[in-house]
Every structure is written in C-alpha cells, then in structure tokens.
Short mmCIF file of all heavy atoms in Angstrom, two decimals:
data_model
loop_
_atom_site.label_atom_id
_atom_site.label_comp_id
_atom_site.label_asym_id
_atom_site.label_seq_id
_atom_site.Cartn_x
_atom_site.Cartn_y
_atom_site.Cartn_z
N MET K 1 0.84 -1.19 0.00
CA MET K 1 0.00 0.00 0.00
C MET K 1 0.87 1.24 0.00
O MET K 1 1.96 1.25 0.53
CB MET K 1 -0.89 -0.05 1.24
CG MET K 1 -2.21 0.59 1.08
SD MET K 1 -3.06 -0.09 -0.34
CE MET K 1 -4.61 0.63 -0.14
N PHE K 2 0.39 2.31 -0.61
CA PHE K 2 1.16 3.54 -0.71
C PHE K 2 0.84 4.47 0.45
O PHE K 2 -0.27 4.53 0.94
CB PHE K 2 0.83 4.25 -2.03
CG PHE K 2 1.30 3.50 -3.24
CD1 PHE K 2 0.47 2.60 -3.87
CD2 PHE K 2 2.57 3.70 -3.74
CE1 PHE K 2 0.89 1.91 -4.98
CE2 PHE K 2 3.00 3.02 -4.87
CZ PHE K 2 2.16 2.11 -5.48
N ASP K 3 1.87 5.22 0.89
CA ASP K 3 1.67 6.23 1.91
C ASP K 3 0.99 7.44 1.26
O ASP K 3 1.02 7.60 0.05
CB ASP K 3 3.01 6.67 2.51
CG ASP K 3 3.66 5.57 3.34
OD1 ASP K 3 2.91 4.70 3.85
OD2 ASP K 3 4.90 5.58 3.45
N GLU K 4 0.43 8.30 2.09
CA GLU K 4 -0.27 9.49 1.57
C GLU K 4 0.64 10.35 0.69
O GLU K 4 0.20 10.86 -0.34
CB GLU K 4 -0.82 10.31 2.74
CG GLU K 4 -1.81 11.36 2.33
CD GLU K 4 -3.08 10.82 1.69
OE1 GLU K 4 -3.54 9.72 2.07
OE2 GLU K 4 -3.61 11.49 0.79
N GLU K 5 1.91 10.48 1.05
CA GLU K 5 2.80 11.32 0.25
C GLU K 5 3.19 10.67 -1.08
O GLU K 5 3.69 11.34 -1.98
CB GLU K 5 4.07 11.72 1.03
CG GLU K 5 4.95 10.56 1.45
CD GLU K 5 4.65 10.02 2.85
OE1 GLU K 5 3.71 10.49 3.50
OE2 GLU K 5 5.38 9.12 3.28
N ASP K 6 2.96 9.36 -1.22
CA ASP K 6 3.26 8.66 -2.47
C ASP K 6 2.10 8.74 -3.47
O ASP K 6 2.26 8.40 -4.64
CB ASP K 6 3.56 7.19 -2.21
CG ASP K 6 4.84 6.99 -1.41
OD1 ASP K 6 5.75 7.84 -1.53
OD2 ASP K 6 4.92 6.01 -0.66
N LYS K 7 0.95 9.20 -3.01
CA LYS K 7 -0.23 9.22 -3.89
C LYS K 7 -0.12 10.34 -4.91
O LYS K 7 0.54 11.35 -4.71
CB LYS K 7 -1.50 9.37 -3.05
CG LYS K 7 -1.76 8.13 -2.22
CD LYS K 7 -3.10 8.15 -1.56
CE LYS K 7 -3.33 6.81 -0.85
NZ LYS K 7 -4.68 6.72 -0.33
N VAL K 8 -0.80 10.14 -6.04
CA VAL K 8 -0.74 11.05 -7.18
C VAL K 8 -2.11 11.71 -7.38
O VAL K 8 -3.12 11.02 -7.34
CB VAL K 8 -0.35 10.27 -8.45
CG1 VAL K 8 -0.31 11.15 -9.67
CG2 VAL K 8 0.97 9.55 -8.25
N PRO K 9 -2.14 13.04 -7.61
CA PRO K 9 -3.44 13.68 -7.84
C PRO K 9 -3.95 13.46 -9.26
O PRO K 9 -3.18 13.45 -10.22
CB PRO K 9 -3.15 15.16 -7.59
CG PRO K 9 -1.71 15.31 -7.92
CD PRO K 9 -1.05 14.00 -7.55
N CYS K 10 -5.25 13.29 -9.39
CA CYS K 10 -5.90 13.23 -10.69
C CYS K 10 -5.80 14.62 -11.32
O CYS K 10 -6.00 15.62 -10.64
CB CYS K 10 -7.36 12.83 -10.52
SG CYS K 10 -8.36 12.98 -12.03
N SER K 11 -5.49 14.67 -12.61
CA SER K 11 -5.32 15.96 -13.27
C SER K 11 -6.64 16.70 -13.47
O SER K 11 -6.65 17.88 -13.75
CB SER K 11 -4.60 15.80 -14.61
OG SER K 11 -5.32 14.95 -15.46
N GLU K 12 -7.77 16.02 -13.29
CA GLU K 12 -9.08 16.66 -13.45
C GLU K 12 -9.68 17.07 -12.11
O GLU K 12 -9.95 18.23 -11.88
CB GLU K 12 -10.04 15.71 -14.19
CG GLU K 12 -11.40 16.28 -14.45
CD GLU K 12 -11.39 17.41 -15.46
OE1 GLU K 12 -10.52 17.45 -16.34
OE2 GLU K 12 -12.28 18.27 -15.37
N CYS K 13 -9.87 16.11 -11.20
CA CYS K 13 -10.56 16.41 -9.93
C CYS K 13 -9.61 16.77 -8.80
O CYS K 13 -10.02 17.35 -7.81
CB CYS K 13 -11.45 15.24 -9.52
SG CYS K 13 -10.56 13.74 -9.01
N GLY K 14 -8.32 16.41 -8.93
CA GLY K 14 -7.34 16.75 -7.91
C GLY K 14 -7.27 15.80 -6.74
O GLY K 14 -6.39 15.90 -5.90
N GLU K 15 -8.19 14.84 -6.65
CA GLU K 15 -8.16 13.86 -5.57
C GLU K 15 -6.94 12.97 -5.74
O GLU K 15 -6.54 12.66 -6.86
CB GLU K 15 -9.44 13.02 -5.59
CG GLU K 15 -9.61 12.17 -4.37
CD GLU K 15 -10.98 11.50 -4.33
OE1 GLU K 15 -11.92 12.00 -4.96
OE2 GLU K 15 -11.07 10.46 -3.65
N LYS K 16 -6.34 12.55 -4.64
CA LYS K 16 -5.12 11.75 -4.71
C LYS K 16 -5.43 10.25 -4.69
O LYS K 16 -6.28 9.80 -3.93
CB LYS K 16 -4.18 12.11 -3.57
CG LYS K 16 -3.60 13.51 -3.71
CD LYS K 16 -2.51 13.77 -2.71
CE LYS K 16 -1.85 15.09 -3.00
NZ LYS K 16 -0.67 15.30 -2.20
N PHE K 17 -4.69 9.53 -5.52
CA PHE K 17 -4.87 8.08 -5.67
C PHE K 17 -3.51 7.40 -5.69
O PHE K 17 -2.48 8.03 -5.93
CB PHE K 17 -5.58 7.76 -7.00
CG PHE K 17 -6.98 8.27 -7.07
CD1 PHE K 17 -7.24 9.55 -7.54
CD2 PHE K 17 -8.04 7.49 -6.68
CE1 PHE K 17 -8.54 10.03 -7.62
CE2 PHE K 17 -9.34 7.96 -6.75
CZ PHE K 17 -9.58 9.23 -7.22
N ASP K 18 -3.52 6.08 -5.45
CA ASP K 18 -2.31 5.30 -5.62
C ASP K 18 -1.88 5.43 -7.09
O ASP K 18 -2.74 5.52 -7.98
CB ASP K 18 -2.57 3.82 -5.31
CG ASP K 18 -2.84 3.57 -3.83
OD1 ASP K 18 -2.58 4.49 -3.01
OD2 ASP K 18 -3.31 2.47 -3.49
N PRO K 19 -0.58 5.47 -7.36
CA PRO K 19 -0.11 5.65 -8.74
C PRO K 19 -0.71 4.65 -9.73
O PRO K 19 -0.95 4.99 -10.89
CB PRO K 19 1.40 5.48 -8.63
CG PRO K 19 1.71 5.87 -7.22
CD PRO K 19 0.53 5.42 -6.41
N ASN K 20 -0.98 3.42 -9.29
CA ASN K 20 -1.54 2.43 -10.21
C ASN K 20 -3.03 2.63 -10.47
O ASN K 20 -3.63 1.94 -11.28
CB ASN K 20 -1.27 1.01 -9.72
CG ASN K 20 -1.85 0.72 -8.35
OD1 ASN K 20 -2.47 1.59 -7.72
ND2 ASN K 20 -1.64 -0.47 -7.86
N GLN K 21 -3.66 3.62 -9.81
CA GLN K 21 -5.08 3.92 -10.03
C GLN K 21 -5.26 5.11 -10.97
O GLN K 21 -6.39 5.48 -11.29
CB GLN K 21 -5.77 4.21 -8.70
CG GLN K 21 -5.88 3.01 -7.80
CD GLN K 21 -6.53 3.35 -6.47
OE1 GLN K 21 -6.13 4.29 -5.81
NE2 GLN K 21 -7.54 2.59 -6.12
N ILE K 22 -4.16 5.71 -11.40
CA ILE K 22 -4.21 6.84 -12.32
C ILE K 22 -3.79 6.33 -13.70
O ILE K 22 -2.76 5.68 -13.84
CB ILE K 22 -3.26 7.98 -11.87
CG1 ILE K 22 -3.71 8.56 -10.53
CG2 ILE K 22 -3.15 9.06 -12.92
CD1 ILE K 22 -4.98 9.37 -10.58
N GLY K 23 -4.60 6.63 -14.69
CA GLY K 23 -4.30 6.18 -16.05
C GLY K 23 -3.19 6.99 -16.69
O GLY K 23 -2.72 7.99 -16.15
N ARG K 24 -2.77 6.57 -17.87
CA ARG K 24 -1.72 7.28 -18.60
C ARG K 24 -2.13 8.71 -18.94
O ARG K 24 -1.29 9.58 -19.13
CB ARG K 24 -1.37 6.54 -19.88
CG ARG K 24 -0.64 5.27 -19.63
CD ARG K 24 -0.22 4.64 -20.91
NE ARG K 24 0.55 3.43 -20.63
CZ ARG K 24 1.20 2.76 -21.52
NH1 ARG K 24 1.18 3.16 -22.78
NH2 ARG K 24 1.87 1.69 -21.20
N ASP K 25 -3.44 8.95 -19.03
CA ASP K 25 -3.92 10.29 -19.33
C ASP K 25 -3.95 11.19 -18.10
O ASP K 25 -4.34 12.35 -18.17
CB ASP K 25 -5.31 10.23 -19.97
CG ASP K 25 -6.33 9.46 -19.12
OD1 ASP K 25 -5.99 9.03 -18.00
OD2 ASP K 25 -7.46 9.29 -19.59
N GLY K 26 -3.55 10.64 -16.93
CA GLY K 26 -3.50 11.42 -15.71
C GLY K 26 -4.82 11.51 -14.99
O GLY K 26 -4.96 12.25 -14.01
N LEU K 27 -5.82 10.77 -15.45
CA LEU K 27 -7.16 10.82 -14.87
C LEU K 27 -7.47 9.58 -14.04
O LEU K 27 -7.05 8.47 -14.37
CB LEU K 27 -8.22 10.93 -15.97
CG LEU K 27 -8.11 12.14 -16.90
CD1 LEU K 27 -9.15 12.03 -18.00
CD2 LEU K 27 -8.28 13.43 -16.13
N CYS K 28 -8.23 9.77 -12.95
CA CYS K 28 -8.71 8.64 -12.17
C CYS K 28 -9.82 7.96 -12.98
O CYS K 28 -10.29 8.49 -13.99
CB CYS K 28 -9.23 9.10 -10.81
SG CYS K 28 -10.72 10.13 -10.85
N ALA K 29 -10.26 6.80 -12.54
CA ALA K 29 -11.27 6.04 -13.29
C ALA K 29 -12.57 6.83 -13.44
O ALA K 29 -13.18 6.84 -14.51
CB ALA K 29 -11.53 4.70 -12.60
N SER K 30 -13.00 7.51 -12.40
CA SER K 30 -14.26 8.28 -12.46
C SER K 30 -14.17 9.41 -13.48
O SER K 30 -15.08 9.61 -14.28
CB SER K 30 -14.61 8.85 -11.10
OG SER K 30 -14.84 7.82 -10.18
N CYS K 31 -13.09 10.17 -13.44
CA CYS K 31 -12.93 11.29 -14.39
C CYS K 31 -12.71 10.78 -15.81
O CYS K 31 -13.16 11.40 -16.77
CB CYS K 31 -11.77 12.19 -13.97
SG CYS K 31 -12.15 13.17 -12.50
N HIS K 32 -12.05 9.63 -15.95
CA HIS K 32 -11.82 9.07 -17.28
C HIS K 32 -13.16 8.73 -17.95
O HIS K 32 -13.34 8.93 -19.14
CB HIS K 32 -10.94 7.83 -17.21
CG HIS K 32 -10.62 7.26 -18.53
ND1 HIS K 32 -9.72 7.84 -19.40
CD2 HIS K 32 -11.10 6.17 -19.17
CE1 HIS K 32 -9.66 7.12 -20.50
NE2 HIS K 32 -10.49 6.10 -20.39
N GLU K 33 -14.14 8.26 -17.16
CA GLU K 33 -15.45 7.93 -17.70
C GLU K 33 -16.20 9.17 -18.15
O GLU K 33 -17.10 9.09 -18.97
CB GLU K 33 -16.27 7.17 -16.66
CG GLU K 33 -15.78 5.77 -16.42
CD GLU K 33 -16.58 5.03 -15.38
OE1 GLU K 33 -17.70 5.47 -15.06
OE2 GLU K 33 -16.09 4.01 -14.87
N LEU K 34 -15.84 10.32 -17.59
CA LEU K 34 -16.50 11.57 -17.95
C LEU K 34 -15.71 12.35 -18.99
O LEU K 34 -15.89 13.54 -19.16
CB LEU K 34 -16.67 12.44 -16.69
CG LEU K 34 -17.52 11.84 -15.60
CD1 LEU K 34 -17.52 12.74 -14.37
CD2 LEU K 34 -18.94 11.60 -16.08
N ASP K 35 -14.84 11.66 -19.71
CA ASP K 35 -14.02 12.29 -20.74
C ASP K 35 -14.92 13.01 -21.73
O ASP K 35 -15.78 12.39 -22.36
CB ASP K 35 -13.20 11.22 -21.45
CG ASP K 35 -12.27 11.79 -22.51
OD1 ASP K 35 -12.21 13.02 -22.64
OD2 ASP K 35 -11.63 11.00 -23.20
N PRO K 36 -14.78 14.34 -21.89
CA PRO K 36 -15.67 15.09 -22.77
C PRO K 36 -15.30 15.04 -24.26
O PRO K 36 -15.93 15.71 -25.07
CB PRO K 36 -15.52 16.53 -22.24
CG PRO K 36 -14.12 16.58 -21.75
CD PRO K 36 -13.85 15.20 -21.17
N THR K 37 -14.30 14.24 -24.62
CA THR K 37 -13.90 14.16 -26.02
C THR K 37 -15.02 13.51 -26.84
O THR K 37 -15.52 12.45 -26.48
CB THR K 37 -12.62 13.31 -26.16
OG1 THR K 37 -11.61 13.88 -25.32
CG2 THR K 37 -12.15 13.27 -27.60
N PRO K 38 -15.45 14.15 -27.93
CA PRO K 38 -16.52 13.56 -28.75
C PRO K 38 -16.13 12.18 -29.28
O PRO K 38 -14.96 11.94 -29.58
CB PRO K 38 -16.67 14.55 -29.90
CG PRO K 38 -16.03 15.81 -29.45
CD PRO K 38 -14.97 15.42 -28.47
N THR K 39 -17.10 11.30 -29.37
CA THR K 39 -16.83 9.96 -29.89
C THR K 39 -17.00 9.90 -31.40
O THR K 39 -16.70 8.90 -32.03
CB THR K 39 -17.75 8.92 -29.22
OG1 THR K 39 -19.10 9.31 -29.41
CG2 THR K 39 -17.44 8.81 -27.74
N SER K 40 -17.54 10.97 -31.99
CA SER K 40 -17.61 11.08 -33.45
C SER K 40 -17.45 12.55 -33.81
O SER K 40 -17.50 13.42 -32.95
CB SER K 40 -18.94 10.54 -33.99
OG SER K 40 -19.98 11.46 -33.76
N GLU K 41 -17.28 12.83 -35.09
CA GLU K 41 -17.08 14.22 -35.51
C GLU K 41 -18.39 14.97 -35.67
O GLU K 41 -18.41 16.18 -35.69
CB GLU K 41 -16.29 14.26 -36.82
CG GLU K 41 -14.86 13.81 -36.64
CD GLU K 41 -14.03 13.99 -37.90
OE1 GLU K 41 -14.52 14.64 -38.85
OE2 GLU K 41 -12.90 13.49 -37.93
N GLU K 42 -19.52 14.25 -35.78
CA GLU K 42 -20.81 14.89 -36.00
C GLU K 42 -21.61 14.99 -34.71
O GLU K 42 -21.63 14.09 -33.88
CB GLU K 42 -21.62 14.10 -37.03
CG GLU K 42 -21.04 14.16 -38.42
CD GLU K 42 -21.92 13.47 -39.44
OE1 GLU K 42 -23.05 13.07 -39.09
OE2 GLU K 42 -21.47 13.32 -40.58
N CYS K 43 -22.30 16.12 -34.57
CA CYS K 43 -23.20 16.35 -33.45
C CYS K 43 -24.38 15.38 -33.55
O CYS K 43 -24.88 15.12 -34.65
CB CYS K 43 -23.70 17.80 -33.49
SG CYS K 43 -24.90 18.21 -32.21
N ASP K 44 -24.83 14.84 -32.43
CA ASP K 44 -25.97 13.92 -32.42
C ASP K 44 -27.31 14.64 -32.53
O ASP K 44 -28.34 14.02 -32.76
CB ASP K 44 -25.97 13.07 -31.14
CG ASP K 44 -24.80 12.11 -31.08
OD1 ASP K 44 -24.23 11.79 -32.15
OD2 ASP K 44 -24.45 11.67 -29.96
N GLN K 45 -27.30 15.97 -32.37
CA GLN K 45 -28.53 16.75 -32.38
C GLN K 45 -28.78 17.46 -33.72
O GLN K 45 -29.90 17.81 -34.04
CB GLN K 45 -28.49 17.80 -31.27
CG GLN K 45 -28.25 17.24 -29.89
CD GLN K 45 -29.42 16.44 -29.36
OE1 GLN K 45 -30.56 16.84 -29.52
NE2 GLN K 45 -29.15 15.31 -28.73
N CYS K 46 -27.71 17.71 -34.47
CA CYS K 46 -27.84 18.41 -35.76
C CYS K 46 -26.69 17.96 -36.67
O CYS K 46 -25.99 17.01 -36.36
CB CYS K 46 -27.83 19.93 -35.55
SG CYS K 46 -26.20 20.59 -35.09
N ASP K 47 -26.47 18.69 -37.75
CA ASP K 47 -25.41 18.33 -38.70
C ASP K 47 -24.09 19.03 -38.40
O ASP K 47 -23.15 18.96 -39.19
CB ASP K 47 -25.83 18.68 -40.13
CG ASP K 47 -26.97 17.80 -40.61
OD1 ASP K 47 -27.09 16.67 -40.11
OD2 ASP K 47 -27.74 18.25 -41.49
N GLY K 48 -23.99 19.71 -37.26
CA GLY K 48 -22.77 20.45 -36.90
C GLY K 48 -21.63 19.54 -36.50
O GLY K 48 -21.79 18.33 -36.35
N ARG K 49 -20.46 20.15 -36.31
CA ARG K 49 -19.26 19.42 -35.89
C ARG K 49 -19.23 19.32 -34.36
O ARG K 49 -19.30 20.34 -33.67
CB ARG K 49 -18.02 20.13 -36.41
CG ARG K 49 -16.74 19.41 -36.10
CD ARG K 49 -15.58 20.07 -36.85
NE ARG K 49 -14.32 19.48 -36.48
CZ ARG K 49 -13.82 18.39 -37.03
NH1 ARG K 49 -14.49 17.77 -37.97
NH2 ARG K 49 -12.65 17.91 -36.64
N ALA K 50 -19.13 18.13 -33.83
CA ALA K 50 -19.13 17.91 -32.38
C ALA K 50 -17.87 18.48 -31.74
O ALA K 50 -16.78 18.35 -32.28
CB ALA K 50 -19.25 16.42 -32.07
N VAL K 51 -18.06 19.14 -30.59
CA VAL K 51 -16.92 19.70 -29.85
C VAL K 51 -16.80 19.09 -28.45
O VAL K 51 -15.78 19.23 -27.79
CB VAL K 51 -17.01 21.23 -29.72
CG1 VAL K 51 -16.91 21.89 -31.09
CG2 VAL K 51 -18.27 21.66 -29.00
N THR K 52 -17.85 18.40 -27.99
CA THR K 52 -17.82 17.80 -26.65
C THR K 52 -18.76 16.61 -26.58
O THR K 52 -19.60 16.42 -27.46
CB THR K 52 -18.18 18.84 -25.56
OG1 THR K 52 -17.88 18.30 -24.28
CG2 THR K 52 -19.65 19.22 -25.62
N ASN K 53 -18.61 15.82 -25.54
CA ASN K 53 -19.48 14.66 -25.30
C ASN K 53 -19.98 14.75 -23.87
O ASN K 53 -19.18 14.81 -22.94
CB ASN K 53 -18.69 13.36 -25.53
CG ASN K 53 -19.57 12.14 -25.39
OD1 ASN K 53 -20.13 11.89 -24.34
ND2 ASN K 53 -19.67 11.38 -26.45
N ILE K 54 -21.29 14.78 -23.71
CA ILE K 54 -21.89 14.82 -22.38
C ILE K 54 -22.78 13.60 -22.22
O ILE K 54 -23.75 13.43 -22.96
CB ILE K 54 -22.72 16.11 -22.16
CG1 ILE K 54 -21.81 17.32 -22.27
CG2 ILE K 54 -23.42 16.07 -20.82
CD1 ILE K 54 -22.52 18.64 -22.11
N CYS K 55 -22.43 12.76 -21.26
CA CYS K 55 -23.21 11.55 -20.97
C CYS K 55 -23.50 10.74 -22.23
O CYS K 55 -24.61 10.26 -22.43
CB CYS K 55 -24.51 11.91 -20.26
SG CYS K 55 -24.25 12.74 -18.69
N GLY K 56 -22.51 10.62 -23.10
CA GLY K 56 -22.66 9.79 -24.30
C GLY K 56 -23.28 10.49 -25.48
O GLY K 56 -23.54 9.87 -26.50
N THR K 57 -23.54 11.80 -25.39
CA THR K 57 -24.14 12.55 -26.49
C THR K 57 -23.11 13.53 -27.05
O THR K 57 -22.61 14.39 -26.33
CB THR K 57 -25.39 13.33 -26.02
OG1 THR K 57 -26.32 12.42 -25.46
CG2 THR K 57 -26.03 14.08 -27.16
N ASN K 58 -22.79 13.40 -28.33
CA ASN K 58 -21.87 14.31 -29.01
C ASN K 58 -22.62 15.59 -29.35
O ASN K 58 -23.71 15.54 -29.91
CB ASN K 58 -21.33 13.68 -30.29
CG ASN K 58 -20.53 12.44 -29.99
OD1 ASN K 58 -19.57 12.49 -29.24
ND2 ASN K 58 -20.92 11.32 -30.58
N LEU K 59 -22.03 16.74 -29.00
CA LEU K 59 -22.71 18.01 -29.21
C LEU K 59 -21.79 19.04 -29.86
O LEU K 59 -20.60 19.12 -29.55
CB LEU K 59 -23.18 18.58 -27.87
CG LEU K 59 -24.19 17.73 -27.11
CD1 LEU K 59 -24.32 18.22 -25.68
CD2 LEU K 59 -25.53 17.75 -27.80
N CYS K 60 -22.36 19.87 -30.75
CA CYS K 60 -21.64 21.02 -31.29
C CYS K 60 -21.82 22.18 -30.31
O CYS K 60 -22.57 22.07 -29.34
CB CYS K 60 -22.18 21.39 -32.68
SG CYS K 60 -23.88 22.02 -32.67
N GLU K 61 -21.16 23.31 -30.57
CA GLU K 61 -21.24 24.44 -29.65
C GLU K 61 -22.67 24.96 -29.50
O GLU K 61 -23.12 25.29 -28.41
CB GLU K 61 -20.31 25.56 -30.11
CG GLU K 61 -18.85 25.24 -29.87
CD GLU K 61 -17.95 26.39 -30.26
OE1 GLU K 61 -18.43 27.53 -30.32
OE2 GLU K 61 -16.76 26.14 -30.49
N ASP K 62 -23.41 25.07 -30.61
CA ASP K 62 -24.78 25.59 -30.55
C ASP K 62 -25.70 24.68 -29.75
O ASP K 62 -26.46 25.14 -28.90
CB ASP K 62 -25.35 25.78 -31.96
CG ASP K 62 -24.66 26.91 -32.72
OD1 ASP K 62 -24.11 27.82 -32.05
OD2 ASP K 62 -24.68 26.88 -33.95
N CYS K 63 -25.63 23.38 -30.00
CA CYS K 63 -26.50 22.44 -29.28
C CYS K 63 -26.09 22.33 -27.81
O CYS K 63 -26.94 22.11 -26.95
CB CYS K 63 -26.48 21.08 -29.96
SG CYS K 63 -27.27 21.09 -31.59
N LEU K 64 -24.81 22.50 -27.51
CA LEU K 64 -24.33 22.44 -26.14
C LEU K 64 -24.99 23.52 -25.29
O LEU K 64 -25.36 23.28 -24.15
CB LEU K 64 -22.81 22.60 -26.11
CG LEU K 64 -22.14 22.66 -24.74
CD1 LEU K 64 -22.40 21.37 -23.97
CD2 LEU K 64 -20.66 22.91 -24.89
N GLU K 65 -25.19 24.71 -25.85
CA GLU K 65 -25.81 25.81 -25.13
C GLU K 65 -27.23 25.49 -24.68
O GLU K 65 -27.70 25.99 -23.67
CB GLU K 65 -25.84 27.07 -26.00
CG GLU K 65 -24.49 27.67 -26.25
CD GLU K 65 -24.58 28.90 -27.14
OE1 GLU K 65 -25.65 29.54 -27.18
OE2 GLU K 65 -23.57 29.23 -27.78
N HIS K 66 -27.93 24.65 -25.44
CA HIS K 66 -29.33 24.36 -25.15
C HIS K 66 -29.57 22.95 -24.64
O HIS K 66 -30.72 22.55 -24.46
CB HIS K 66 -30.17 24.57 -26.43
CG HIS K 66 -29.96 25.92 -27.03
ND1 HIS K 66 -30.40 27.08 -26.44
CD2 HIS K 66 -29.33 26.32 -28.17
CE1 HIS K 66 -30.07 28.12 -27.17
NE2 HIS K 66 -29.40 27.69 -28.24
N TYR K 67 -28.49 22.21 -24.41
CA TYR K 67 -28.63 20.81 -24.00
C TYR K 67 -28.84 20.67 -22.50
O TYR K 67 -28.12 21.27 -21.71
CB TYR K 67 -27.38 20.01 -24.41
CG TYR K 67 -27.51 18.54 -24.16
CD1 TYR K 67 -28.33 17.73 -24.93
CD2 TYR K 67 -26.78 17.94 -23.12
CE1 TYR K 67 -28.44 16.37 -24.70
CE2 TYR K 67 -26.88 16.57 -22.89
CZ TYR K 67 -27.72 15.81 -23.67
OH TYR K 67 -27.82 14.46 -23.44
N HIS K 68 -29.84 19.91 -22.12
CA HIS K 68 -30.10 19.61 -20.70
C HIS K 68 -30.03 18.11 -20.52
O HIS K 68 -30.70 17.38 -21.22
CB HIS K 68 -31.49 20.12 -20.28
CG HIS K 68 -31.64 21.58 -20.43
ND1 HIS K 68 -31.09 22.48 -19.56
CD2 HIS K 68 -32.26 22.33 -21.39
CE1 HIS K 68 -31.39 23.71 -19.95
NE2 HIS K 68 -32.09 23.65 -21.06
N HIS K 69 -29.18 17.67 -19.60
CA HIS K 69 -29.04 16.22 -19.37
C HIS K 69 -29.56 15.86 -18.01
O HIS K 69 -29.83 16.67 -17.17
CB HIS K 69 -27.60 15.77 -19.55
CG HIS K 69 -26.60 16.53 -18.74
ND1 HIS K 69 -26.28 16.19 -17.47
CD2 HIS K 69 -25.88 17.62 -19.06
CE1 HIS K 69 -25.38 17.05 -17.02
NE2 HIS K 69 -25.12 17.92 -17.95
#
C-alpha cells in the first residue's frame, strides 16, 4: 500500500490516488469515464461538428448551449 505522500493527484478532480489507479492520461477512473472528447465528428442533435461529449451525447457548440441532461 502507498503512503499518503506517495499518492498522485488526478489531473481533473485533484483527488489523490495510488499511482496504479491513475491512467496514462493522468485521470482517475471516475474522471476518465467523464471524458468530454466527442466519440464522433458529427453532433448527435444536428449536422454540426461535435466539440464535446456529455453523458454519451456528441454536441456542437450551438447544441451544447441548449442541451439539458
């Protein structure tokens, strides 16, 4: 087990974890699941270019402004 000073902070939430619990992207498992990178280039709501992913929905900037999850 790692001591508190050996733990590494998640680059997103800042919570500290054992080094083997942080992925190569610097994110803990919870933050990694919330990765906002779009899974496709097209928005799921219109024909625009996706810029983010919220709860599995790819959104362009315009649709993001009006999206409620």
Side-chain angles (χ1 to χ4, degrees):
M1 211 54 172
F2 293 91
D3 292 334
E4 193 63 33
E5 62 267 4
D6 294 330
K7 292 189 175 187
V8 178
C10 170
S11 59
E12 181 69 28
C13 69
E15 191 172 338
K16 291 190 173 189
F17 295 89
D18 291 347
N20 59 0
Q21 292 178 309
I22 296 290
R24 289 185 177 190
D25 55 4
L27 301 175
C28 67
S30 297
C31 288
H32 183 74
E33 289 179 17
L34 299 175
D35 182 5
T37 304
T39 56
S40 76
E41 291 186 10
E42 291 185 8
C43 177
D44 292 339
Q45 304 290 318
C46 71
D47 292 333
R49 183 171 175 84
V51 295
T52 191
N53 184 299
I54 298 179
C55 299
T57 303
N58 297 303
L59 298 167
C60 66
E61 287 183 21
D62 291 336
C63 292
L64 176 61
E65 291 179 24
H66 306 291
Y67 186 72
H68 299 284
H69 54 87

